[in-house]
Amino acid sequence: MKHFTTVHDLDNLDEAIKLALELKKDPYQFQDLGKNKTLLLVFFNSSLRTRLSTQKAGLNLGMNVIVFDINEGGWKLETELGVIMDSDKPEHIREAVPVIGKYCDIIGVRAFAKFENREDDYQEKIIQQFIDYAGVPVVSMEAATRHPLQSFADHLTIEEHKTKERPKVVMTWAPHPRALPQAVPNSFVEWMRETDYELVVTHPEGYELAPEFMGDLKPEYDQMKAFEGADFIYAKSWASYNDYGKVLSTDRSWTVSDKHMAVTNKAKFMHCLPVRRNMIVTDSVIDSANSIVVPEAENRLFSAQAVLKMMLDQLK
Ligand code: CP
């Protein structure tokens, strides 16, 4: 695995899950692997879980870790090629990325969708420039269209909590006051389609995900029907893909509530966090015994550690 931006970068998904579970049992077993290796985490956007879990994952493997909030301590970056740099951006990503690559052995990058132009976001212009110019392996810590470390942790969490071989997993859209990227649902759907789980995606009309992620999966527009018999409910808000970046609905009947959970098979409730209570999910559902949002966040550590371990093995 040269870079990690999607489930398709893994050589073997089952082996990756097995490795993450082994690391969870004994997180310090490969402390010598990262000796004298540096992990540099570049954040273009805010983070709590990704920042802390990826940092800790590197430390558990014995790596040196540098965290760089590029928009706060760094020069404002120009990311377009061929422009006359007479704006407020004094440094070009074309120089910044290879320079960053000289100070580390692995780079983690978080760069969300900007919602200015769908083609630019879906071409992954920022993380792709890291891959092209850094000269070292790159790990996506959430890019414009995918959040693979999150999906890896989600898969791990479902494996730990499932009570049948082929659980029914439902990804549901939920209302939110702001336009949020499609990275989490895209990535989750793409990842789940690599498993044997029964996957259902439900959202109001207008919130269809990009065809490249849905493949032949058709959305269920009736949320209650989608929830029937579900073993896992994964809630997330996202902005429209077709009417790119627009909030088309804030219909609170889509907020996951006890009424919704009642038709499931005592489903576990999941969300990547941060979550807006009583918009995405009611207090009663997220505070219930079936909510696994904290163990899900805990697994971010082991998904990150598994990815870094696989990359370090290749640097040996
Ligand atoms: N789920 C997730 O990526 O959380 P942060 O945005 O806090 O890193």
Side-chain angles (χ1 to χ4, degrees), residues 46-51 110 112 141-142 147 150 272-274 300:
S46 305
S47 169
L48 186 154
R49 280 143 291 271
T50 306
R51 171 187 299 261
R110 166 164 283 202
F112 290 172
M141 299 193 299
E142 185 170 344
H147 193 356
Q150 181 67 52
C272 60
L273 305 180
R300 291 294 308 277

Side-chain angles (χ1 to χ4, degrees), residues 3 14-15 31 37 44 47 56 93 103 107 117 120 135 154 160-161 166 176 184 187 211 226 239 278 288 300 308-309:
H3 306 286
D14 291 340
E15 289 298 318
Q31 273 241 303
K37 295 277 188 267
F44 286 84
S47 169
K56 177 78 168 102
I93 196 166
Y103 303 146
I107 299 182
N117 177 308
D120 283 357
D154 297 335
E160 288 179 318
H161 288 86
R166 190 167 181 262
H176 193 282
V184 169
S187 201
N278 303 309
S288 75
R300 291 294 308 277
L308 293 174
K309 153 85 169 68

Side-chain angles (χ1 to χ4, degrees), residues 224 227 233 252-264 266-267 269 278 280-291:
M224 289 303 280
F227 274 45
I233 298 296
R252 298 248 313 273
S253 72
W254 281 77
T255 301
V256 178
S257 67
D258 291 326
K259 181 188 80 172
H260 295 87
M261 296 303 278
V263 302
T264 69
K266 297 189 178 72
F269 176 79
N278 303 309
I280 302 283
V281 56
T282 61
D283 287 335
S284 57
V285 171
I286 197 167
D287 291 334
S288 75
N290 278 354
S291 170

